[in-house]
Amino acid sequence: MTRYDAIVVGAGQAGPYVTSRLAGAGMKVAVVERNLIGGTCVNTGCIPTKTMVASAYAARMAARAAEYGVDVGSFLVDMKRVKARKDAVSGQSRTGLEDWLQNMENCTVYRGHARFESAHELRVGEERLQADKIFLNVGGRAVVPDMPGVREIDVLTNSSMMAVDFLPKHLIVVGGSYIGLEFAQMFRRFGAEVTILEMGPRLIAREDEDVSTAIREIVESEGVAVRLNARCIGFAKRGDEIIADVDCVSGAPRVHGSHVLLAVGRRPNTDDLGLDKAGVAVDARGYIVVDDQLRTSVPGIWALGDCNGMGAFTHTAHNDGEIVIANLLENDPRRVSDRITAYALYVDPPLGRAGMTEEEIRQSGRKTLVGKRPMTRVGRAVEKGETQGFMKIAVDAETGAILGAAILGTGGDEVIHSILDVMYAKAPWTVIRRAMHIHPTVSELVPTMLSELQPMDTATV
């Protein structure tokens, strides 16, 4: 038995941060990682996929070069080089984290699968580790539902897509939400035929309908086929071809493709930790139950990141780590409920989101004003030749508080922060309205948009 002050299980986004802060405070810390240091973000998520999105953007700009007065002639997307670039960027990030942890004072890295023996004892292979403080940062993985015929074909997930170094002839993407949309547009730009099969009546159902509609129009304009209301999806193998049966309201009952990507959700990596031996409670979906400061049902055990169901993003995982450390080391009672919903969808143009959706606002019963502006009326977007999308912001008509915003357009993933920061400051929308922004930018039109506020149900793009 080796005794530590703290054990961190999982070296994803929150794990290394928590480790560094605890070790820096003089604690003896063990980090356990069964697979790749860096977790999903570094190895199969944010960093590699956005690197590929950048390659896809370059391909798209090459195809559009003549619109800018540039003649590039014919061009070729070399998928092996696309993958090599992605691997290099991802690998550099992972190596940097590995070196940091392995050379960190007061830190010992264990490579293996951790399982609880009791509430404060873990086994990693032949090693037994004990600590009063244990932090679970074990992440999640793609769901592979038991669809008819799914076991008869080779399916791809967001993880296995990272090994693809060829161009699928026709990629069938099951799931029209964030992961599915990014891969669909990306591989269409690389030159593949792409069809999205979405069980719901529209794409990304959690977004406002105008956002969903605009994103569908964007991907369809590039040749991505979208099939909605695909309620009964099944697969069959016919030689080199995969046939997807689709029960849709309209359209052909079958889609013929070469490869299938399943992007229908994720599940937490909590089913093989021995949580029952520790007495750690999980909900019906396997997420570890935590309170507002990320404490589990067992004193001295915390859960951070995707495994706690409190957020499914790299930034929420890292923020989990900040909340835990603030409470433990800084006498700062930070809580999960303090944070404002914020995320991005990395189609091109990207969607930046902060705060409440219009549906959430309606359910709250607030009297609300909304400002909207199409990107065709944003000078910077016109200059760049990237005028797809729109931006909108909702404010409380009585208090002046900013309730939510969506920016679907060039730079939307960055511009949203000028709104998000004001929301965190709890300042009224008039602060932005009176600000002098730089010209020419996308951000400079946010104050203009705020000067055109209308009641929610009458506001139009």
Side-chain angles (χ1 to χ4, degrees), residues 51-64 72-85 164-168 185-192:
T51 303
M52 294 176 70
V53 165
S55 292
Y57 179 79
R60 176 67 172 168
M61 293 308 293
R64 295 183 59 204
V72 299
S74 60
F75 66 93
L76 173 68
V77 175
D78 185 336
M79 289 302 299
K80 292 188 183 301
R81 290 169 63 189
V82 169
K83 179 180 180 297
R85 177 176 181 271
V164 171
D165 63 354
F166 58 88
L167 186 67
Q185 185 187 51
M186 180 196 309
F187 274 85
R188 178 62 189 141
R189 290 181 167 191
F190 289 148

Side-chain angles (χ1 to χ4, degrees), residues 13-95:
Q13 191 59 213
Y17 171 77
V18 169
T19 300
S20 69
R21 293 299 307 275
L22 296 177
M27 296 187 191
K28 182 182 178 184
V29 185
V31 177
V32 185
E33 175 55 57
R34 68 177 179 177
N35 193 10
L36 299 175
I37 298 290
T40 297
C41 176
V42 169
N43 298 289
T44 61
C46 314
I47 291 176
T49 58
K50 277 50 180 182
T51 303
M52 294 176 70
V53 165
S55 292
Y57 179 79
R60 176 67 172 168
M61 293 308 293
R64 295 183 59 204
E67 298 176 27
Y68 298 85
V70 179
D71 184 7
V72 299
S74 60
F75 66 93
L76 173 68
V77 175
D78 185 336
M79 289 302 299
K80 292 188 183 301
R81 290 169 63 189
V82 169
K83 179 180 180 297
R85 177 176 181 271
K86 177 265 297 179
D87 289 344
V89 173
S90 176
Q92 183 179 25
S93 182
R94 180 174 60 251
T95 299

Side-chain angles (χ1 to χ4, degrees), residues 280-315:
V280 174
V282 298
D283 67 15
R285 297 182 299 165
Y287 290 100
I288 299 172
V289 177
V290 295
D291 66 10
D292 209 16
Q293 294 180 320
L294 301 162
R295 295 171 295 204
T296 71
S297 58
V298 177
I301 302 180
W302 292 259
L304 306 89
D306 292 5
C307 68
N308 64 24
M310 302 296 282
F313 303 100
T314 292
H315 51 278

